[in-house]
Amino acid sequence: MADQEEEDLQRALRLSMQQHAPPEPKRSKPRDNIAGDESDESPDVKNRRLQRELMAAAAEKRMMAAKTVASASASASASVSSARAPAPAPVSVSSSSVVSKGTSVLLEKGERGELKGTGEKFGTKLVESEANQLFSMVFGSGVSKDIIAQWTNQGIRFSSDPETSMGLVQHEGGPCGVLAAIQAFVLKYLLFSPDNLGAVTSKVLQNSVSRRLPPKESITVTNLASLTEDQKKRALVQSMSEILFLCGSNKRAVVASLDILSHDRENSPSSLMDEDITKALEGLLIQSGSDLQKVLRVNTYTSQAKAFRKLEEMLPVFQSRMGALLFLISALLSRGLDSVQGDRDDPSLSLVTAPFGHASQEIVNLLLCGQAVPNVFDGRMDLGGGMFLKGIATHVEVGFLTLLESLNFCKVGQYLKRPKWPIWVVGSESHYTVLFALDTSVQDENELEERESQIRKAFDAQDQSGGGGFISVEGFHQVLKEANIKLPNDKLDNLCSTGFIVWSELWQVLLDLDKSLGGMKDSTGLMGKKVFDLYHFNGIAKSVSNGTQALPNGESPTQRPRLTKLKVSVPPKWTPEEFMSDVAVPIGSNPNDSGTKDQIVANPEPPQHAPLVDCIRTRWPRAVCNWAGDPPSIV
């Protein structure tokens, strides 16, 4: 049959090449009506008719041999062929196979399809089972309308306040974890890769994340306040693209959007105004997987350049009230729903936590490291019996600190504490904010700090307590071996007497152990101070009262996005007494102290305290912080 089909097509091709006269107008008469007039046809007309019949017959044979229903594009092609010339047995296209208003064709379960010429622009539709799985994964069952409202009324927009114009603004609680993660990447591009904004090749991205600026390069908050709208938007699009490819293992990115433009397919989202999109979203409610399936459209990209252009085109939609949820969905689909469930310790829980609708740690970790793991320690923890708890698997671009570590609820590993760039998402019990430095040298360590990091990493690798800060005697001997620590027998016996070793007790012993034995005691007294600046951004802009007096017009005061500068001092406190104290070392208290500026913080300001300081001390344990004005807020 294949040989006959090929012969028919070749014959039709030869006939078509013999034509010199222009084609005749389309005939409207049925095929039967002209059958009796064939003897009157000229040779040219007869050849054209025969050619069309042969081509139509060959197409019919291919479809019959496949024994499948024609796809939308094949059906459209057959329809065009039938319109040009009647065929003996034309194949009709069922009107029910094409969605009249959308851009997708309903296919078999598990498949996605597109109408030719529209899929690239408007995306494909999720099958119902996938939409239901996605909705259940994010919100769970029995989610309240208030939580859904929080997540469907938050766009990805920059603050309108001049002082915080580089920051994304949040209006209500809930999606702050998504916004803070995007904000951290935006700052990475604005601060450390401003010349690469808009460069979208993988080579440029790889170069940008490995680049280090000179410590004193002139980056100031004033520079951030004077950024143009175009610079900020390109940093935002670049950040969104990088996060999605990170979630897709740097192989793909899925961009989710809404089918809100069906009333005018000639318009692209980038050509519409805010009011157009707002009007298109009027009355849109997402309360189930079925609701999500009706309006959600997705595009998958393996090219970073194409993904960048798509995100740039769809930016007005991401700035709309559905933006934060759409970006979360994009990240989940980029990772793959089954992979997301495989990342988690308990896949039965929703990613948006009850009862307040906050973003879970899994959401934040997905956006920061590309995997929806629930823990913040390095690697994974072996619980025995083939059971593991999953943590952060590799180094990250921007990091994470949390107040919960200072309360001993968890232990943040070195991957998140020491990211490639000095930018951290900061978590509290109910909110996510961002901490950053303008100077990459805040990440630099001297010899003793590097030694501390080495020992702490070896200790954490043996910590099976879930961040409790203690290890077994067997694990302790492994730490001593890896860190090359030579403890005297009396100290070793004392530490092992209880059957487990606590980090704080080990650290005090190491602080009094000479450096030549692998300890931290520096008999030279040459350890210098660290003084640097950090900046904290809280993008929340909701109406708050907090017991404060109402405004004259009766309205509650509004909390605006806020940027706070903190001066951080890390004194040289390397004896047990100094380490356990929270005050600066007085001049002359150390016999080896010469009083030079490199050894002590001269005339230190009175230390100030706020919950953010506790977070900072999980990264710099001896930090003393000062700021002007109200304390920085992490709630």
Side-chain angles (χ1 to χ4, degrees), residues 311-535:
L311 288 165
E312 193 172 37
E313 175 190 342
M314 299 304 299
L315 190 58
V317 177
F318 282 105
Q319 291 174 326
S320 76
R321 67 175 178 89
M322 294 290 294
L325 179 59
L326 283 176
F327 188 75
L328 173 59
I329 290 173
S330 299
L332 293 171
L333 294 176
S334 295
R335 175 63 177 157
L337 300 188
D338 291 340
S339 295
V340 170
Q341 293 296 69
D343 292 337
R344 309 173 68 195
D345 288 341
D346 188 352
S348 65
L349 300 176
S350 62
L351 292 172
V352 172
T353 62
F356 302 111
H358 299 136
S360 65
Q361 188 66 49
E362 293 155 311
I363 289 177
V364 175
N365 286 348
L366 174 66
L367 303 182
L368 294 183
C369 74
Q371 297 181 343
V373 294
N375 304 297
V376 291
F377 50 72
D378 292 342
R380 63 180 187 175
M381 186 179 298
D382 188 353
L383 301 179
M387 300 290 292
F388 296 92
L389 295 178
K390 307 176 189 74
I392 307 302
T394 186
H395 293 283
V396 294
E397 295 294 305
V398 295
F400 178 77
L401 303 174
T402 175
L403 182 65
L404 298 181
E405 182 177 9
S406 69
L407 301 174
N408 293 321
F409 285 114
C410 66
K411 174 61 184 174
V412 180
Q414 297 303 303
Y415 289 149
L416 289 175
K417 278 188 180 175
R418 302 175 187 274
K420 292 182 180 179
W421 303 99
I423 306 168
W424 297 265
V425 172
V426 176
S428 68
E429 302 97 325
S430 61
H431 190 44
Y432 294 97
T433 54
V434 180
L435 182 73
F436 63 97
L438 307 180
D439 189 342
T440 59
S441 68
V442 303
Q443 295 272 67
D444 295 343
E445 296 179 330
N446 56 44
E447 180 184 0
L448 289 176
E449 286 177 313
E450 289 178 354
R451 179 65 175 156
E452 176 189 358
S453 298
Q454 178 191 10
I455 298 173
R456 183 75 212 216
K457 185 175 182 179
F459 185 93
D460 288 345
Q462 300 298 324
D463 186 354
Q464 303 298 313
S465 65
F470 60 88
I471 61 177
S472 66
V473 173
E474 181 182 359
F476 178 50
H477 284 288
Q478 183 66 26
V479 171
L480 297 180
K481 181 180 178 180
E482 291 182 5
N484 195 24
I485 298 172
K486 301 176 179 61
L487 282 178
N489 289 334
D490 59 332
K491 294 184 182 294
L492 180 62
D493 293 341
N494 185 53
L495 283 172
C496 297
S497 61
T498 60
F500 58 88
I501 290 81
V502 180
W503 167 256
S504 58
E505 294 177 358
L506 171 62
W507 184 243
Q508 291 188 54
V509 170
L510 293 175
L511 288 172
D512 200 33
L513 183 67
D514 194 79
K515 193 169 77 169
S516 62
L517 298 176
M520 307 298 296
K521 188 174 182 178
D522 179 21
S523 58
T524 65
L526 298 178
M527 171 65 183
K529 68 178 175 66
K530 286 177 70 83
V531 176
F532 52 90
D533 294 331
L534 293 176
Y535 293 84

Side-chain angles (χ1 to χ4, degrees), residues 76-131:
S77 176
S79 298
V80 171
S81 298
S82 299
R84 289 176 178 171
V91 178
S92 62
V93 180
S94 171
S95 60
S96 62
S97 66
V98 180
V99 180
S100 59
K101 294 178 63 177
T103 62
S104 302
V105 178
L106 300 181
L107 301 178
E108 295 296 325
K109 184 177 181 181
E111 297 180 347
R112 298 178 190 169
E114 301 173 356
L115 287 177
K116 187 175 181 181
T118 62
E120 173 67 20
K121 185 173 183 180
F122 297 107
T124 64
K125 200 174 185 180
L126 295 183
V127 295
E128 186 175 0
S129 59
E130 192 174 11

